[in-house]
């Protein structure tokens, strides 16, 4: 039996254990940076599989499981996400992502002594809002990896997709309170906020194609008969590259500065969430995933989506090592992401099939990378370019 077949057999033998992880996290969803029970659950399973595990790795709810063959070879990591969403629980399927990562790591570990190198399973918390991968990347988590791979559940089998860079900016305006019947004695922070909001809206027609601005009035005053001394706006600026997102957000800051001059107020800007880089596609890894999907009998395999949609902290990984972020179908196109229906799909028979195929595909990719030095060199050369 070849090593790829061994990986497939291992995943099939441990599928019930993987689905138990999926169901437990489905029943006990935890928000970003609060995933202590999920971290413990996944770490316990990795320890049972023979990994050396470090809990609270780099972040309070991060973790890493390592197994080193003791022989020369590539360092390959499988990434886990396990944060849930408010109200809908695991509506993005991160419980399934985590189980795919654990089973892929276990399957690859079962054959790595024949290949050499090291396998890691890395728990990356808080993908939805707080950029676990970004913070871990800043601490060097992915710098020595030859490849980092993960698969996301969804409505289609897709080899990957571009994402938008994201700059989250908060604008705070400081004025002076006064009675509304004596406005000359005050300075309206709300006026500055409203003028900023209007000015940023006027930027839209001058943006690069594929760029987006989303903003809200977060604070606007407490009483109609009081000139507000404080107001705030929160914005997301998204663009195909981080350079474009930064340029767009800088123009917005200039709008806010002008509005403050008009209103006689002062301004403070800050990043209220974690900025996300765009996802740099490694097409060699995507082609490798396609080969495994075909071998597993999957059909209707979609190419890389070249139109950026949304943002993800996988971008931070893709700028530090070759990264793969594929997709596996677990439901029909009538199901939307971030929904209760998507969460339910993770524990369905289709979810179980997605777990088996996703984990097998990732482990099979790792086997090919470790056994074919020329392929690994192509992956790394593309990353360097």
């Amino acid at each position: 039996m070849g090593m790829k077949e061994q990986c497939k057999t291992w995943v099939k033998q441990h599928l019930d254990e993987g689905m138990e992880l999926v169901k437990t996290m489905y029943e006990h969803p935890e928000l970003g940076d609060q995933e202590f029970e999920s971290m413990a659950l996944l770490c316990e399973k990795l320890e049972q599989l023979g990994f050396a595990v470090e809990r609270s790795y780099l972040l309070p709810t991060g973790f890493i499981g390592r197994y080193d063959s003791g022989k020369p070879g590539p360092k390959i990591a499988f990434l886990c996400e396990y944060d849930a969403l408010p109200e809908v629980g695991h509506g993005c399927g991160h419980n399934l992502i985590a189980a795919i990562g654990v089973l892929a790591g276990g399957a690859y570990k079962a054959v790595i002594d024949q290949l050499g190198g090291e396998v890691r399973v890395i728990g990356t918390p808080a993908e939805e809002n707080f950029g676990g991968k970004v913070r871990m990347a800043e601490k060097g988590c992915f710098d020595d990896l030859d490849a980092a791979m993960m698969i996301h559940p969804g409505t289609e089998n897709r080899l990957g997709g571009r994402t938008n860079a994201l700059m989250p900016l908060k604008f705070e305006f400081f004025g002076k309170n006064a009675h509304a019947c004596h406005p000359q004695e005050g300075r309206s922070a709300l006026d500055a906020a409203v003028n900023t909001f209007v000015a940023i809206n006027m930027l839209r027609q001058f943006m690069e194609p594929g760029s987006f601005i989303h903003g809200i009035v977060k604070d606007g005053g407490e009483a109609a008969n009081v000139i507000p001394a404080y107001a705030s706006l929160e914005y997301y600026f998204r663009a195909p590259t981080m350079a474009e997102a930064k340029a767009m957000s800088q123009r917005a800051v200039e709008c806010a500065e002008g509005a403050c001059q008009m209103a006689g107020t002062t301004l403070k800007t800050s990043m209220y969430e974690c900025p996300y880089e765009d996802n740099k596609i490694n097409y060699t890894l995507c082609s490798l995933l396609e080969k495994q999907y075909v071998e597993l009998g999957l059909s209707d395999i979609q190419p890389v989506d070249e139109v950026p949609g949304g943002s993800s902290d996988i971008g931070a990984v893709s700028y530090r090592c070759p990264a793969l972020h594929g997709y596996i179908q677990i439901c029909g196109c009538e199901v939307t992401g971030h929904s209760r229906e998507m969460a339910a799909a993770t524990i369905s028979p289709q979810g179980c099939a997605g777990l088996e195929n996703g984990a097998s595909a990732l482990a099979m990719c790792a086997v090919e990378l470790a056994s074919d030095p020329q392929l690994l060199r192509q992956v790394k050369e593309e990353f360097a370019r």
Side-chain angles (χ1 to χ4, degrees):
M1 182 185 295
M3 283 181 280
K4 289 167 70 172
E5 287 297 323
Q6 291 179 52
C7 289
K8 289 162 60 176
T9 299
W10 191 97
V11 170
K12 188 178 292 291
Q13 291 172 343
H14 293 80
L15 194 57
D16 288 346
E17 298 170 46
M19 281 307 295
E20 189 62 31
L21 298 176
V22 175
K23 292 175 181 176
T24 300
M25 286 181 282
Y26 172 84
E27 293 166 356
H28 304 280
E30 298 173 294
L31 300 180
D33 286 333
Q34 301 175 29
E35 317 98 316
F36 291 99
E37 290 184 14
S38 298
M39 177 186 68
L41 177 74
L42 297 167
C43 287
E44 182 179 344
K45 177 54 63 178
L46 287 170
E47 287 170 341
Q48 291 173 3
L49 296 176
F51 284 84
V53 177
E54 184 177 346
R55 290 167 166 80
S56 299
Y57 175 68
L58 301 180
L59 300 174
T61 54
F63 67 82
I64 186 168
R66 296 184 179 92
Y67 180 80
D68 193 335
S69 69
K71 303 174 184 177
K75 295 182 175 69
I76 296 175
F78 304 104
L79 307 183
C80 299
E81 296 174 0
Y82 36 97
D83 59 318
L85 293 156
E87 296 186 25
V88 299
H90 277 289
C92 204
H94 291 185
N95 53 332
L96 194 57
I97 293 174
I100 288 173
V102 169
L103 289 195
Y108 182 51
K109 175 182 174 293
V111 299
I112 195 173
D113 287 341
Q114 305 171 60
L115 293 164
E118 181 181 343
V119 55
R120 300 177 187 173
V121 179
I122 304 176
T124 62
E127 185 275 337
E128 292 295 347
N129 295 99
F130 307 115
K133 296 182 191 64
V134 176
R135 291 175 286 163
M136 296 176 88
E138 290 171 348
K139 297 179 180 182
C141 178
F142 311 105
D143 290 353
D144 66 337
L145 292 176
D146 293 282
M149 301 186 288
M150 62 175 289
I151 287 181
H152 197 297
T155 60
E156 58 189 7
N157 301 314
R158 186 175 288 280
L159 304 180
R162 296 193 175 277
T163 62
N164 280 304
L166 168 65
M167 283 290 290
L169 282 190
K170 186 180 186 76
F171 300 87
E172 295 180 277
F173 305 90
F174 301 91
K176 181 182 178 183
N177 287 132
H179 193 288
C181 291
H182 300 279
Q184 69 278 8
E185 297 175 4
R187 295 290 184 269
S188 176
L190 180 59
D191 281 357
V194 169
N195 284 331
T196 299
F197 198 92
V198 171
I200 290 176
N201 274 345
M202 295 178 70
L203 287 178
R204 295 177 189 275
Q205 65 174 313
F206 304 106
M207 297 188 307
E208 293 287 341
S211 299
F212 302 91
I213 298 177
H214 334 288
I216 61 168
V217 178
K218 189 70 173 178
D219 302 281
E222 299 294 332
N225 68 338
V226 177
I227 301 297
Y230 177 79
S232 69
L233 307 173
E234 290 184 354
Y235 271 92
Y236 279 175
F237 298 94
R238 299 187 203 250
T241 68
M242 180 55 82
E244 291 172 285
K246 287 181 176 178
M248 187 165 55
S249 62
Q250 179 56 38
R251 293 193 67 184
V253 170
E254 293 167 0
C255 289
E257 290 171 344
C260 284
Q261 288 183 352
M262 294 166 59
T265 60
T266 57
L267 172 69
K268 176 184 176 183
T269 61
S270 60
M271 283 190 288
Y272 66 100
E273 289 180 1
C274 191
Y276 286 3
E277 293 168 294
D278 51 296
N279 183 27
K280 188 165 72 169
I281 303 296
N282 191 293
Y283 291 93
T284 309
L285 284 178
C286 292
S287 296
L288 181 61
L289 177 63
E290 182 178 25
K291 180 181 178 182
Q292 315 315 317
Y293 276 180
V294 170
E295 288 188 21
L296 290 166
L298 300 183
S299 59
D300 195 23
I301 302 168
Q302 300 299 309
V304 172
D305 189 348
E306 300 292 349
V307 180
S311 304
S312 172
D313 61 2
I314 190 65
V317 183
S318 75
Y319 271 82
R320 289 158 179 84
C321 72
L324 174 68
H325 187 281
Y327 296 85
I328 195 83
Q329 184 178 22
I330 64 166
C331 55
C333 60
E334 73 280 358
V335 176
T336 61
H338 286 205
S339 67
R340 295 183 187 277
E341 291 76 16
M342 181 63 76
T346 65
I347 59 171
S348 70
Q350 293 85 353
C352 184
L355 172 59
E356 181 175 3
N357 288 322
S360 296
L362 288 184
M364 292 161 66
C365 284
V367 168
E368 290 214 24
L369 289 172
S371 57
D372 187 345
Q374 183 178 353
L375 174 63
L376 184 62
R377 185 163 55 250
Q378 290 174 354
V379 168
K380 298 176 80 168
E381 287 175 351
E382 181 180 346
F383 171 74
R385 289 195 300 271

